[in-house]
Amino acid sequence: MSSDETPQGTPQESPEPAAGKAQPEQTGRQRLAAGLWPPRLSRAQLVVALLLFVLGLGLAIQVRSTSDNSALRGARQEDLVRILDELDDRTQRLEDEKTRLESQRSELESSSDQAEEARKQTREKERQLGILAGTVAAEGPGITLTVTDGAGAVESDMLLDAIQELRAAGAEAIQVNDVRVVADSYFSGGDGDIEVDGKKIDAPYVFKVIGKPEDLEPALNIPGGVVQTLEKEQATATVTRSGKIVVDALRPAERPDYARSSSQ
């Protein structure tokens, strides 16, 4: 046997891969991953991304605003009519207040004795605030609402609903039995044991209300309103218009413990 020959059965070493030999071809997924990462964004792509973000934010705000109004979509037609009427009434009252204030300003500017005119307007403002605070008596046109409750089924929240409807319709002074109702008044109790500001009142519940009768009475008689709700509880609600209502139940003038006027 020649020395150049390889003995039979002796394993041969695998040849080394040749230099410069081509690597295995990448799959489509590998090429896609290599193209996406690391990201290479141009200025135009950044501008487009920013515009898309702003557009998405605007759409989200619009959807949220639309969903906030969904409660009105589900309201009954008579409820929507009542809401519109109340908004119209409030707008008119604000316009009247604006006109009154502008008139006062004109009087102050044109008056020869501005000091006396200012004192006159101050006294009038004090009287108006006293009516709102319940510290002075008031009279004027309005209505009387009488609620009889033979079954003792009227709850305090029903009477509070009546107060809210009357205020929304423009009531300026309210008295329930012998209790003056003001901004911070509260109702509690039920089943014939109702209190206003901690003072017990008994049926029949008589509301004396000063305001425009043509606005106050319809506010109570709307479909599904105060009168119908009370009638469902076997109570009777009677509304009577009057050219003169006297609200003479008074509340003591309370001096604040801590608050002081900030005017100099």
Side-chain angles (χ1 to χ4, degrees):
M1 180 175 59
S2 168
S3 60
D4 296 333
E5 295 179 358
T6 302
Q8 186 175 0
T10 302
Q12 300 181 2
E13 295 182 358
S14 299
E16 294 293 333
K21 184 178 180 182
Q23 297 295 325
E25 184 177 356
Q26 291 182 329
T27 65
R29 180 177 298 178
Q30 291 173 331
R31 289 196 301 272
L32 178 61
L36 293 177
W37 190 263
R40 302 177 183 86
L41 297 178
S42 65
R43 179 177 297 180
Q45 290 172 324
L46 287 174
V47 172
V48 171
L50 180 60
L51 292 176
L52 290 175
F53 172 77
V54 174
L55 178 60
L57 181 62
L59 289 174
I61 294 174
Q62 180 66 29
V63 170
R64 182 180 181 86
S65 176
T66 303
S67 62
D68 290 342
N69 296 327
S70 59
L72 291 178
R73 289 200 184 95
R76 299 175 301 176
Q77 182 176 359
E78 54 266 26
D79 292 335
L80 294 175
V81 172
R82 176 176 60 83
I83 292 172
L84 288 175
D85 289 341
E86 291 177 358
L87 289 175
D88 290 340
D89 292 339
R90 292 175 185 175
T91 301
Q92 184 60 47
R93 289 197 296 272
L94 290 174
E95 289 291 340
D96 294 342
E97 179 69 9
K98 176 185 175 183
T99 302
R100 185 182 65 82
L101 292 175
E102 289 177 345
S103 176
Q104 288 182 355
R105 183 184 65 182
S106 299
E107 291 175 359
L108 281 172
E109 293 174 348
S110 61
S111 175
S112 57
D113 189 350
Q114 295 187 359
E116 177 59 29
E117 182 65 27
R119 284 192 292 269
K120 175 184 174 182
Q121 293 190 12
T122 300
R123 289 192 296 268
E124 176 64 19
K125 190 65 175 180
E126 180 182 9
R127 185 187 68 83
Q128 294 174 358
L129 293 176
I131 293 176
L132 295 176
T135 57
V136 299
E139 66 177 45
I143 64 168
T144 300
L145 167 65
T146 304
V147 179
T148 57
D149 182 26
V154 173
E155 301 287 340
S156 58
D157 59 340
M158 300 176 187
L159 300 183
L160 180 59
D161 286 343
I163 295 294
Q164 301 287 26
E165 291 290 351
L166 291 168
R167 283 174 172 165
E172 297 177 351
I174 304 175
Q175 174 178 329
V176 182
N177 289 10
D178 58 348
V179 180
R180 186 71 167 265
V181 178
V182 293
D184 60 351
S185 293
Y186 64 92
F187 287 68
S188 59
D191 298 331
D193 187 16
I194 296 179
E195 295 182 353
V196 181
D197 296 336
K199 186 173 182 179
K200 189 178 185 300
I201 58 174
D202 298 316
Y205 308 111
V206 180
F207 292 67
K208 295 180 180 179
V209 188
I210 295 177
K212 188 176 181 181
E214 294 80 3
D215 294 338
L216 298 175
E217 182 180 5
L220 299 175
N221 286 306
I222 61 174
V226 172
V227 172
Q228 287 192 0
T229 300
L230 291 170
E231 289 176 348
K232 290 179 181 178
E233 300 298 330
Q234 307 304 315
T236 302
T238 305
V239 182
T240 304
R241 298 188 186 187
S242 176
K244 181 180 180 181
I245 297 291
V246 178
V247 174
D248 53 6
L250 302 180
R251 296 173 66 95
E254 298 181 357
R255 183 182 182 88
D257 294 329
Y258 305 102
R260 296 291 183 269
S261 174
S262 61
S263 60
Q264 300 297 328

